[in-house]
Amino acid sequence: MSTAESRTAEVAEDQVVTYEVRGTVAVVTVNRPRYRNAQNSKVTYALDAAFTRAVDDDAVKVIVLAGSGEHFSGGHDIGTPGRDIDETFERRAVIWWDHADKHGVDSRIARESEVYLGMCRRWREIPKPMIAMVQGACIAGGLMLAWSCDFIVASEDAFFSDPVVRMGIPGVEFFAHPWVMSPRAAKEFLFTGDRFDARRAHQLGMVNHVVSREELEPTVFALAERISAMPRFGLALAKKAVNQAEDLQGMRSGMDSVFGLHHAAHSHNAEVGADSLAGMDARAMRESGRSAGGA
Ligand code: ZN
């Protein structure tokens, strides 16, 4: 891939993730607006490839993660025609074996270790600053994308929720809740499944800036440009320093322990009912609350 090619915007109808470089900033965009950017595995593997490309390009100083259309991301894909839960994709890092030909807990832990917890953790540790540019819905799996980034800049109409307790599941796989907000706020967030709007999220420290929808992109790019003036290696070390401090506050080991609870819940659902999601698809989640997230 030549430098000139890497600077060309790539947008095609069937591209679920687009990649564009503007100056020193790589813009990675989830592109399934018709489905509120629901994340199937095709999306997560495409995000992984796009982030790797941005990390490997020395001209890129900052990565912006965006969602096309009205919403950042409505969560994991639990019901669109493009749901691809049983498919095999080429794995970049060895975390577990391929899930596709396995069954039950064997399959679920393999898949979720790879595409949910594993990828989000690797993305959080990407050695370049990442800014999530969030508008509209940021629900369940959408939180995992935004929380993997270093900053969140949100428009006034953005809202955040993790409604998966309705499925009997204690939150999404990348369980950052008590670290991105206070533990009491995290409990309210989980226990009610309520939407926290951008201002509430800002008050809780989860969001860095709240601006109008028109100001969202200019604000993100102005911030990215200021960060780009810093030396690449200094930024990488500063990011690692803060992440290490978070991990020393228990984030990494806390997530590991909650991942076990998460899979106890999936297994319980499968044992006593129809499936690991307590029989709930996107429509059922919407009807039981006001959200369409997935687990
Ligand atoms: Zn899960």
Side-chain angles (χ1 to χ4, degrees), residues 76 108 112 116 169 171-173 259 262-263 266 277 294-295:
H76 295 144
R108 279 197 296 273
E112 297 204 345
Y116 294 160
I169 296 170
V172 288
E173 292 83 1
F259 196 61
H262 183 97
H263 278 276
H266 276 316
L277 302 181

Side-chain angles (χ1 to χ4, degrees), residues 217-235:
E217 195 169 309
T219 303
V220 167
F221 277 85
L223 192 56
E225 272 180 31
R226 291 183 59 210
I227 295 168
S228 293
M230 291 288 191
R232 175 176 54 83
F233 193 44
L235 288 168

